[in-house]
Amino acid sequence: MTHEEILSMLGDYVDYLIANSSAETPMWNIEKVRSGKPNKWNYIDGCMITACLSLYKTTGDEKYLKFSKDFIDWFVQEDGSIKTYDPKEHNLDNVNQGKNLFILYDIFGDEKYRKAIDTIRSQLLTQPRTREGNFWHKDIYPWQVWLDGTYMAQPFYMEYETRYNKMQGCIDSYKQFMNIKKHMRDEKTGLYYHGYDESRQMYWADPVTGCSPNFWLRAMGWFMVAMVDVLERMDEQLYNEYRGIMAMLKQTIEDVHKFQDEETGMFWQVMDHPGVEGNYLETSGTALFAYAVLKGVRLGYLPKRMAAWAEKAFYGTCDKYLSKNPDGSLQLDGICLVAGLGGKDHRDGSLAYYFSEPVVCNDAKGVGPLVLAYTEMIARK
């Protein structure tokens, strides 16, 4: 396919997904579809609605705005409560969808969005923290910091504090990034480990460093996007902190790029083990890299030369995994359904573990990032 055909196909693909989805039954939430349970407020839909709102902003097409508003309105009540969401669950994943409330509030001015923003902010007031001050990833994972959590919570936190709280929590957010750099970055590769257990008690944690054993691609992807999204919401008055995160972003992209597959432009599920049996080129993390870099270049956080790496990742993913079915419907393959650490399934962070999780098509954890990268490609044009 030519690049033009890929871009046109992606537009059709998004239309197909939203035509067949609602807040009650989003076809892209494969975990939910497989579980057979009713949909809840969750980060996976949050990622997809962020992509739809980004498409609205880039194209001006009202259908994306209408779909996003209808979707969120199914959850958000007039009093600012959110159906199926409980702040006391203390799950950072549930903060992610909150970013979209700021956008809807700006466009429609409906006070229920402003109240719902406060509902989500209330979770962070009581979110348990490590002794050094980082949010636990979830209440059920005590003393643990996961890279994914930076994407889930920090952009919302930074935006709230900048807009509504006289920037009081902005330094706190910055410090959480610096703690991650201190504890989770591998000096040799520049990559970041998926998780860190301050207590060193979890079976997956290195008894000396507290880190999990491997570099999982999607966790790195969430982390790269988190830095870009936080910078976008940060006031430049925080001169040193702003430049600190920008320098960290640039260094991370440089280091990650070294692991980009020369032939396809993609990245491997476990990043530093290319071609090992069971490893594969994975869609979601590659798309997150493409999005983070394209957006970072557009906003001036990253040098322009890096855009070529992102375009290679974007088109490489589409060439390998975007296809048309015999019935004319489109699908995106090569998406790791889920990966975590600990829990009852003994997720030990080993290579065998990361290779064992299901690989699926059309899941929003891959589709959302690819569509976000697609909006950046349109913006470049």
Side-chain angles (χ1 to χ4, degrees):
M1 281 189 292
T2 67
H3 289 178
E4 290 305 323
E5 284 168 341
I6 285 173
L7 293 177
S8 155
M9 198 168 169
L10 271 170
D12 295 341
Y13 182 49
V14 177
D15 291 348
Y16 161 70
L17 288 170
I18 66 176
N20 289 284
S21 296
S22 67
E24 290 164 277
T25 54
M27 74 172 289
W28 56 66
N29 195 332
I30 306 298
E31 279 179 82
K32 197 55 70 189
V33 171
R34 287 185 173 190
S35 76
K37 293 176 183 161
N39 198 23
K40 292 167 75 171
W41 181 261
N42 67 79
Y43 80 91
I44 301 162
D45 294 342
C47 189
M48 203 63 210
I49 296 302
T50 300
C52 286
L53 286 168
S54 186
L55 268 175
Y56 165 66
K57 190 176 162 193
T58 308
T59 65
D61 192 328
E62 294 280 338
K63 72 183 170 204
Y64 301 120
L65 178 61
K66 183 183 184 314
F67 178 80
S68 303
K69 184 180 190 303
D70 290 347
F71 197 103
I72 299 246
D73 284 351
W74 191 78
F75 290 99
V76 174
Q77 310 301 296
E78 287 305 319
D79 64 354
S81 63
I82 299 168
K83 222 187 296 185
T84 74
Y85 166 68
D86 179 9
K88 295 187 187 67
E89 199 184 312
H90 292 130
N91 177 347
L92 286 188
D93 288 346
N94 293 337
V95 175
N96 177 48
Q97 177 80 285
K99 294 194 295 261
N100 299 320
L101 296 169
F102 292 109
I103 300 171
L104 293 180
Y105 183 54
D106 285 347
I107 294 170
F108 296 103
D110 190 330
E111 281 305 311
K112 73 176 182 183
Y113 300 129
R114 178 69 183 86
K115 290 174 187 165
I117 289 167
D118 281 336
T119 301
I120 293 177
R121 178 67 182 87
S122 73
Q123 176 184 325
L124 298 181
L125 285 174
T126 55
Q127 186 78 14
R129 292 174 180 249
T130 63
R131 281 181 284 277
E132 283 189 298
N134 280 57
F135 296 136
W136 291 6
H137 188 61
K138 297 181 186 179
D139 216 7
I140 56 170
Y141 299 137
W143 309 107
Q144 293 172 41
V145 179
W146 294 14
L147 285 186
D148 325 26
T150 56
Y151 170 81
M152 300 304 162
Q154 297 299 341
F156 173 88
Y157 185 32
M158 185 62 77
E159 183 155 5
Y160 188 96
E161 296 304 293
T162 302
R163 281 186 182 227
Y164 302 132
N165 201 25
K166 302 187 178 118
M167 301 201 287
Q168 285 187 33
C170 294
I171 304 288
D172 174 38
S173 177
Y174 164 78
K175 282 180 178 166
Q176 293 194 42
F177 278 97
M178 292 303 124
N179 286 337
I180 285 171
K181 186 177 173 186
K182 181 165 89 177
H183 293 294
M184 296 171 75
R185 184 174 186 268
D186 173 54
E187 285 302 321
K188 197 161 92 248
T189 59
L191 300 178
Y192 286 72
Y193 291 102
H194 184 178
Y196 164 70
D197 173 18
E198 188 183 53
S199 72
R200 316 285 198 272
Q201 295 303 303
M202 280 304 286
Y203 54 80
W204 52 255
D206 182 290
V208 178
T209 66
C211 288
S212 60
N214 282 297
F215 309 114
W216 178 43
L217 174 62
R218 187 156 73 224
M220 275 299 309
W222 291 133
F223 181 57
M224 290 183 280
V225 174
M227 287 186 276
V228 176
D229 283 358
V230 159
L231 284 168
E232 185 184 25
R233 291 159 169 83
M234 200 172 182
D235 195 301
E236 284 186 65
Q237 288 176 54
L238 299 166
Y239 186 88
N240 293 328
E241 292 77 15
Y242 187 77
R243 274 148 192 79
I245 291 183
M246 205 186 300
M248 186 160 117
L249 169 68
K250 182 171 179 289
Q251 186 60 59
T252 303
I253 301 297
E254 295 275 12
D255 292 331
V256 167
H257 169 244
K258 293 175 195 148
F259 294 90
Q260 190 167 15
D261 182 60
E262 190 58 43
E263 189 190 341
T264 61
M266 293 189 71
F267 293 87
W268 295 82
Q269 161 79 337
V270 177
M271 298 179 69
D272 59 337
H273 292 276
V276 166
E277 190 181 348
N279 208 357
Y280 58 96
L281 295 163
E282 200 276 334
T283 295
S284 66
T286 304
L288 285 163
F289 170 84
Y291 172 56
V293 174
L294 290 169
K295 185 173 177 178
V297 168
R298 174 172 62 82
L299 295 174
Y301 311 143
L302 294 171
K304 290 191 173 71
R305 64 184 166 82
M306 291 182 173
W309 307 345
E311 291 200 6
K312 187 173 182 181
F314 173 79
Y315 286 119
T317 303
C318 294
D319 283 335
K320 187 166 176 64
Y321 285 127
L322 185 64
S323 62
K324 195 171 266 194
N325 297 316
D327 66 357
S329 63
L330 297 162
Q331 75 175 41
L332 181 68
D333 282 289
I335 304 164
C336 170
L337 180 61
V338 64
L341 295 163
K344 56 184 182 296
D345 304 326
H346 203 81
R347 302 180 299 180
D348 61 1
S350 64
L351 294 180
Y353 163 66
Y354 286 115
F355 301 161
S356 74
E357 287 288 11
V359 183
V360 298
C361 65
N362 294 345
D363 186 82
K365 292 184 285 289
V367 177
L370 192 71
V371 173
L372 282 163
Y374 164 63
T375 64
E376 291 296 334
M377 294 296 291
I378 298 171
R380 281 179 76 72
K381 297 237 170 294

